[in-house]
Amino acid sequence: MKRGHADLPLHYGTVPPWLAQRMSLLGGAIVEAIVLEYGRTALLQRLSDPFWFQSLGCVLGMDWHSSGITTSVMNALKKAINKRSEELGVYVCGGRGKSSRQTPAELIQIANKTGLNGDELVRNSKLSAKVDNTAVQDGFQLYLHSFIVTVEGEWAVIQQGMNPNERMARRYHWLSSAIDSFIENPHTSVCGKNQGLILNLTDKLAAPTKGGILELTHELPDKLMREVSLILPRHHEVEAKDVNLKRLGAALILAHETNIKDFESLLLLEGVGPRTVQSLTLVSEVIHGTPSRFSDPARFAFAHGGKDGHPFPVPLNIYDETIDIFDKAIHQSKLGDKDKSDALKNLSRISQEMEKGFVPNNYFDDLVQKERDTSYLYDGKTVFGNAKKPKDKGQQLKLWD
């Protein structure tokens, strides 16, 4: 994976309990589906991809572009995964602030249960934090450190630093299988706004300035990191330019203008409402999509909206139905009946097929407004309160030419 950077505007505040609980339930279902279908290694690979991680946060109903996605998603996953770690074979340690300092003790406890080398895991945790806080001097001070480890001993690290003067955050991603050296190009990705010249002693070209990570007194800045850009702007609204309209349009056509009976592989979803199919399609892509499908994370906010009302309030009824459908599909799959889980998987496949002949129209703003106007029908909610029925519903919106 190439390096990457992204703007992550700092957002303060807490996730309301009504959303935090649902994030944990749906996040846990997504993790379990990935582990069952693709394995634990694939889960770590996804977590180490900043585009996928941002998309996951969007589909879970968090603010689509803010730094808060990192903390809230990792909190949700830790609660969901650690309840069933022995079954899933995955453990999540650390977190924000004081929780991050508990990581060594948590790793030792896991090692005692699994037979893994606890001292080595603790060393990997500390080194990854030391590298991002000291060896890479980019103006961001770490405040979050999450360490995910499997029973095979593979691990991933997600940690985030803050630059309060710039009101920006930078997220760092690590994957154990991609690391040859802690002191030479260890990251799968570094997410944050380009800060100009920095001191990065982990760059391969910095070898002349260091003999190891302790030789941090050689203050010779290396050349700028070449990074793939994931730009997350400061504006809170989701705008048409933030979304791949062809991909979003195909998913919405599948949900709202397709008769499920026309697709034999989706018959088990017959009876599910169009708005729920829209959410199921986007969640399905988070589980089954390839890396190239996550270049526009904002698109996944059209599954369950955002807690601040952007692009629209979180539709609690739809969110709960999505959780229930995936939970039942996973349960049946573990009993040997994979029909429903295969149908959910096919949603993303059929949506991609529909993209080939789809030409986007100019109704993006109308689509967002329609979601807001109908939010009250699905028990829409934000941190500011419940969605209300609009006074004037106006004319019926035609979304597609």
Side-chain angles (χ1 to χ4, degrees), residues 68-79:
I69 276 183
T70 311
T71 301
S72 57
V73 169
M74 289 314 303
N75 282 343
L77 294 186
K78 186 173 184 178
K79 291 176 181 177

Side-chain angles (χ1 to χ4, degrees), residues 287-337:
I287 295 172
H288 302 290
T290 57
S292 64
R293 303 288 302 176
F294 304 107
S295 58
D296 60 331
R299 173 166 51 99
F300 294 90
F302 283 83
H304 298 122
K307 68 178 179 66
D308 285 354
H310 298 290
F312 48 83
V314 178
L316 298 188
N317 291 347
I318 301 300
Y319 206 136
D320 291 341
E321 189 173 6
T322 301
I323 292 170
D324 184 61
I325 290 171
F326 271 97
D327 278 344
K328 289 179 179 177
I330 291 169
H331 177 70
Q332 293 176 7
S333 179
K334 289 192 290 188
L335 295 177
D337 180 3

